Amino acid sequence: MNTPLRVAVVGAGRMGADHIERIHRRINGAEIAAVVDIDRARAEAAIAHIPGAVAHTDFQEVLDRDDIDAALIATPGFLHEQVLLSAIEHGLPTLCEKPLTPDAESSWRVVEAEVAAGRQLIQVGFMRRFDAGYLALRRMIEEQTYGELLTLHHQHRNPTTPPGFTNEMIINDSVVHEFDAVRFFTGEEITSVQVRIGRSTRNAPEGQKDPQLVLMETESGILAQVEAYVNAQFGYQVATQASFETGVVGIGGDTEPYVRTAGTWGGSVTPGFEERFVEAYDREIQAWVDAAARGQIGGPSAWDGYATAACCEAGVRAQASGEIVPVRMQPKPELYSTAPVAARA
Ligand code: ISE
């Protein structure tokens, strides 16, 4: 048996703690060797049950160790750039939760650092690429099972937003996944974004307009629209309907169990993204671990992180202007010349 990949998790908040449990309990070929969090007590609590794992308060302490093979970054996006650049400098395979960084300029610096290093080390946490429904739809698009894809209709509904979730975060934190999903489904870049804001729910916090309709166009003219509705109250729903020349395909619909009881029929709604995408997260992290053990990445790249950051930037400008805003991007470096990595089911 090969020795397990020794992983340092950076950030012991909601996603970090979730990934620590995942790697500790369900992922093959990896173990938690370190956790970094500015809050030492939180870091220690996250690994209290994992023998041998060490809590740190600074990523540099991890870099100074010689027994760490890979890093998983799960801190807020504004803290990512420095950790990513150090990871690249040290040749450390890294999975970075989305967003790669909060804006296109800093994401481009990460891409440039990888290009200078001459190898891809950063995988971005767009876990939906590992969801069975997303993979099935992508295959139908590639194989033209129902003819050409014409339009995409996405629903992105969250029950509520955490404190401090701004209007811009609807684009940067939620719609960012839809930008990546459209790129994943179509294999094309997004060329423009428009955002329309109409009547808002009274359940939105001060300053936030919810829901928002986002319309994007791809290089070949496919139109994709997203309803981003992040205070929908009822639960979590992320779904897509795709219209083809000879069929319409839906993914992310309600699943079993289907229950009849007390004069009602139906099932339950998933409460949040951890439950909705639990299998996708497991597959994502397994693919990353397997690839990192070979010094490679096993999913979306830093280029995908940069491209979605450019879409978000256009999206935020479109929120403010109501105009159709072109997505401005640098040319794609040769290092990323292969098509975006698709997960295999
Ligand atoms: C959250 O950060 C996520 O990444 C979820 O997948 C997304 O559905 C949600 O809207 C975001 O706030």
Side-chain angles (χ1 to χ4, degrees):
M1 207 184 96
N2 295 334
T3 50
L5 187 82
R6 292 176 55 77
V7 178
V9 174
V10 186
R14 182 173 171 182
M15 274 321 293
D18 198 44
H19 283 317
I20 288 172
E21 285 311 292
R22 172 170 292 107
I23 291 173
H24 184 51
R25 300 192 191 282
R26 302 202 290 279
I27 299 299
N28 296 319
E31 65 187 26
I32 299 293
V35 61
V36 187
D37 198 295
I38 191 151
D39 178 346
R40 180 175 285 283
R42 184 159 83 158
E44 281 169 354
I47 51 160
H49 56 301
I50 306 181
V54 177
H56 299 274
T57 54
D58 188 341
F59 186 57
Q60 188 55 48
E61 293 165 23
V62 165
L63 296 174
D64 291 343
R65 288 173 60 166
D66 57 6
D67 63 341
I68 301 295
D69 303 317
L72 189 158
I73 305 175
T75 52
F78 73 93
L79 296 170
H80 289 181
E81 183 182 355
Q82 210 38 60
V83 178
L84 287 167
L85 295 178
S86 307
I88 294 169
E89 199 185 315
H90 286 76
L92 208 57
T94 299
L95 185 130
C96 180
E97 268 302 334
K98 61 89 205 169
L100 182 64
T101 68
D103 56 81
E105 209 181 310
S106 52
S107 287
W108 181 248
R109 287 196 286 271
V110 175
V111 166
E112 281 188 313
E114 266 198 345
V115 170
R119 60 188 279 225
Q120 292 190 53
L121 286 160
I122 309 298
Q123 179 174 329
V124 183
F126 288 126
M127 76 297 186
R128 292 157 172 220
R129 291 181 181 226
F130 296 85
D131 175 81
Y134 279 72
L135 286 160
L137 177 54
R138 179 179 154 124
R139 205 168 309 120
M140 287 173 202
I141 294 168
E142 273 175 349
E143 292 172 5
Q144 300 209 350
T145 316
Y146 305 106
E148 289 274 11
L149 172 69
L150 305 174
T151 55
L152 290 163
H153 311 271
H154 295 215
Q155 292 92 44
H156 187 134
R157 299 180 180 129
N158 294 181
T160 53
T161 46
F165 200 92
T166 61
N167 209 35
E168 291 74 23
M169 284 171 81
I170 294 183
I171 300 292
N172 292 332
D173 205 61
S174 299
V175 178
V176 62
H177 280 292
E178 308 302 337
F179 288 135
D180 186 64
V182 170
R183 297 179 63 256
F184 175 62
F185 288 143
T186 63
E188 296 178 24
E189 296 299 350
I190 293 164
T191 53
S192 72
V193 184
Q194 185 182 20
V195 179
R196 294 293 308 272
I197 300 175
R199 175 179 290 177
S200 279
T201 171
R202 288 171 293 179
N203 295 313
E206 183 74 29
Q208 201 196 81
K209 300 280 185 211
D210 184 36
Q212 303 193 7
L213 293 189
V214 181
L215 183 62
M216 51 192 112
E217 183 167 357
T218 69
E219 287 164 311
S220 76
I222 296 168
L223 292 178
Q225 53 142 351
V226 180
E227 179 191 298
Y229 181 19
V230 293
N231 297 278
Q233 309 294 304
F234 69 88
Y236 188 84
Q237 184 196 20
V238 161
T240 293
Q241 200 176 60
S243 299
F244 295 86
E245 288 171 305
T246 62
V248 172
V249 177
I251 60 161
D254 300 320
T255 52
E256 297 176 319
Y258 180 99
V259 179
R260 289 181 176 80
T261 184
T264 65
W265 52 262
S268 51
V269 174
T270 43
F273 53 87
E274 289 98 335
E275 297 82 0
R276 163 71 173 84
F277 288 110
V278 63
E279 283 160 18
Y281 279 123
D282 285 358
R283 283 178 171 184
E284 172 197 49
I285 300 301
Q286 189 65 64
W288 172 63
V289 163
D290 293 347
R294 301 187 302 266
Q296 297 171 341
I297 64 167
S301 66
W303 171 259
D304 296 308
Y306 164 71
T308 49
C311 293
C312 287
E313 223 158 80
V316 169
R317 282 174 40 226
Q319 262 184 334
S321 69
E323 303 289 319
I324 298 175
V325 176
V327 176
R328 282 198 292 261
M329 279 170 60
Q330 302 275 359
K332 191 170 182 173
E334 186 60 32
L335 183 66
Y336 308 96
S337 56
T338 49
V341 179
R344 291 287 159 229

